[in-house]
Amino acid sequence: MLWRVRTTLADRPGYLAEIALACGRAEVNIVALQVFSTSPQVTDELVVRAPDGWTDVQVAELFEAAGGAGVSATRVSEASLTDAPTRYLRGAHQVLEQGRSVEHVLRELLETEPPDVADYTGHDVMTLTRRDGSHLHIDRAVPFTTAERDRAQALLSLVGGAGGEVPPATPSPRTEAPVVRAATLDDIEAVSAMHERCGAQTLYDRYQAPLTMPMTSRMTRRLVVPDAGTALVVQVGAEIVAHGVLECVDRTWTFRMIIEDAWQGRGLGTRLMRQAAGVAKHEGAARLAIVTAGSSDKLLRAVGNAGFVARVERHDGNVHITVPLREVRAVDVASSADR
């Protein structure tokens, strides 16, 4: 089993030897190494092969006991053994010759998929500048090194505006403020219309299956009045632009949400999460699992913006971001309207 380990060490001779000795004693094999100078310390990135059954906690404890600080351990694939310059050159080729989105390529190179970390308390944001002066933001739970930032900026500068980047549609200018509230049967048509405006990937991330047929009234009714829970919507003017379902099954509270493409990145996910957490707390929940089938980068960012500390896990192909509700203020669903 391969793990990428990041650790900070004092910049003096001998420290790396102690790490290597500790790994040897634990039968953990170092298969790749990069050193990022951050004087007066250094950040070492190692790819190690640990015995089957090891967890991220065990790997991190091994490095901490050997003198490492700020240790993070994330599970990786064999692709991580390819050297970085080769991977970035291939990335440039994919953008220039195959028309791939430079953002998607950079996210693969920087491995921004949710890491196998026990506790997520925030994220590091990399801001890159395109040739036209616009910015590209990429975030990850494991902090970026200076070298990674330089490589990413160099790639973006090289490919310029090439690739399959299509800016998302922007919503029409509105003066109404978004309102988060409980859904009712009167919202059936508006929720159905919101789904019609969502892209295929957005729908797949929410429902774990492609939705190729228009939503029926019966399907939408179950979304606004779920059998074992509560539905929340975000309303702007006369339109519903986001929807979430809070459910309790086998004493486990989960929340799944969908935000119309044109309204993503505007803080609606953070507001929906806060409201759902408050309603779940009012119903007696001790924790809430926020579930998605897709990349959880945006979801993790919303969790961090909401001020939650979360546990990131994978179950049956989905990402579960579990939030403890000790510090959350309870909200009565009957009056759960938030502007």
Side-chain angles (χ1 to χ4, degrees):
M1 186 176 296
L2 289 177
W3 298 87
R4 171 175 284 110
V5 181
R6 290 274 181 89
T7 181
T8 300
L9 302 171
D11 192 8
R12 69 170 178 79
Y15 256 117
L16 191 55
E18 294 177 19
I19 294 286
L21 183 60
C23 287
R25 287 173 175 165
E27 298 185 352
V28 171
N29 187 29
I30 299 173
V31 293
L33 169 68
Q34 288 190 80
V35 179
F36 304 103
S37 179
T38 53
S39 182
Q41 297 176 314
V42 293
T43 297
D44 285 0
E45 179 183 280
L46 306 92
V47 178
V48 302
R49 194 180 302 276
D52 290 342
W54 274 52
T55 66
D56 57 330
V57 174
Q58 289 174 286
V59 175
E61 287 178 345
L62 172 66
F63 279 78
E64 289 169 352
V71 180
S72 65
T74 58
R75 194 175 296 148
V76 294
S77 67
E78 297 286 341
S80 297
L81 298 179
T82 305
D83 77 305
T86 300
R87 293 177 66 224
Y88 274 77
L89 287 171
R90 288 175 180 169
H93 174 80
Q94 291 170 0
V95 175
L96 294 172
E97 301 299 327
Q98 299 175 11
R100 291 197 63 201
S101 162
V102 65
E103 179 177 355
H104 291 165
V105 168
L106 282 171
R107 289 189 178 280
E108 289 180 2
L109 291 171
L110 296 165
E111 295 178 318
T112 61
E113 284 298 305
D116 295 317
V117 292
D119 293 298
Y120 176 80
T121 57
H123 59 275
D124 189 16
V125 179
M126 175 190 295
T127 301
L128 306 173
T129 305
R130 296 185 177 92
R131 290 182 184 176
D132 62 3
S134 63
H135 293 105
L136 171 61
H137 303 286
I138 297 178
D139 57 277
R140 188 177 71 185
V142 178
F144 296 108
T145 65
T146 301
E148 285 178 316
R149 295 175 186 273
D150 290 344
R151 289 171 186 165
Q153 181 61 66
L155 176 61
L156 185 61
S157 299
L158 172 66
V159 301
E165 295 181 278
V166 179
T170 56
S172 303
R174 303 182 188 277
T175 57
E176 300 93 339
V179 177
V180 183
R181 60 170 176 81
T184 71
L185 289 174
D186 292 336
D187 296 318
I188 287 180
E189 290 187 6
V191 169
S192 179
M194 185 269 293
H195 280 77
E196 292 292 331
R197 297 193 297 269
C198 290
Q201 188 62 52
T202 297
L203 292 169
Y204 184 87
D205 289 349
R206 168 60 178 88
Y207 297 103
Q208 296 86 54
L211 297 183
T212 58
M213 299 175 59
M215 298 195 70
T216 64
S217 296
R218 182 179 179 182
M219 292 168 60
T220 314
R221 181 187 179 92
R222 294 186 64 181
L223 288 176
V224 299
V225 186
D227 294 334
T230 300
L232 299 173
V233 294
V234 179
Q235 181 173 349
V236 178
E239 293 183 349
I240 300 297
V241 298
H243 169 270
V245 174
L246 178 68
E247 293 182 293
C248 181
V249 179
D250 295 331
R251 293 185 293 181
T252 298
W253 286 85
T254 62
F255 184 61
R256 291 174 169 84
M257 65 181 179
I258 182 171
I259 300 172
E260 182 181 332
D261 297 44
W263 286 89
Q264 293 177 13
R266 294 172 168 255
L268 300 188
T270 296
R271 294 180 61 177
L272 264 176
M273 282 183 194
R274 286 177 177 156
Q275 200 76 346
V279 173
K281 177 69 172 289
H282 183 270
E283 296 296 324
R287 59 189 61 85
L288 176 65
I290 302 161
V291 183
T292 181
S295 169
S296 66
D297 292 340
K298 293 179 181 178
L299 207 54
L300 283 173
R301 184 162 57 246
V303 168
N305 290 340
F308 295 142
V309 175
R311 179 177 296 273
V312 181
E313 300 171 310
R314 292 181 179 86
H315 299 289
D316 300 326
N318 290 331
V319 177
H320 288 232
I321 303 174
T322 304
V323 176
L325 303 179
R326 291 188 304 271
E327 308 299 326
V328 173
R329 180 178 61 85
V331 176
D332 185 354
V333 66
S335 58
S336 60
D338 169 49
R339 286 185 175 270

